[in-house]
Amino acid sequence: MLDDENVYSKAQTELILNKFFSQNKPRTVKMLHKVNSNPNYMFGVLIANTDKGHYRITYTMQEIDGILLIIEMRIEVEKVK
């Protein structure tokens, strides 16, 4: 997230995301791209407009034991407006 590429536990992820979204209050979110042709694997790109700027959020979800889980999420400053 924003120049930090690591793997985090669920608890660490919740803290990091809570901090990011408390510092960057979302105004609007637009779905830019979505791939859901495979029922066990999904990918999407969102553009989030916050009070501090625009961010590109990419996520990958996978079904594991019948539960859809986020296995990767990236938040980057959106360079194209």
Side-chain angles (χ1 to χ4, degrees):
M1 177 182 320
L2 299 177
D3 300 326
D4 185 17
E5 295 187 21
N6 281 314
V7 175
Y8 298 102
S9 70
K10 180 180 177 181
Q12 289 172 311
T13 300
E14 288 174 353
L15 290 172
I16 291 166
L17 288 173
N18 283 335
K19 180 179 178 184
F20 175 82
F21 286 112
S22 69
Q23 293 175 351
N24 299 276
K25 304 280 189 231
R27 292 183 180 162
T28 62
V29 177
K30 181 175 93 173
M31 176 68 71
L32 184 66
H33 183 70
K34 176 171 69 169
V35 176
N36 61 358
S37 54
N38 182 335
N40 300 319
Y41 177 84
M42 295 179 190
F43 173 81
V45 179
L46 308 168
I47 302 298
N49 177 17
T50 74
D51 59 346
K52 301 275 174 67
H54 298 277
Y55 295 91
R56 176 181 289 256
I57 302 171
T58 60
Y59 63 89
T60 305
M61 300 174 76
Q62 184 174 11
E63 186 173 326
I64 300 172
D65 296 328
I67 299 170
L68 198 57
L69 300 173
I70 297 173
I71 57 171
E72 181 178 25
M73 178 182 272
R74 294 177 181 263
I75 300 176
E76 303 168 320
V77 174
E78 175 62 7
K79 296 174 180 86
V80 179
K81 292 186 181 180

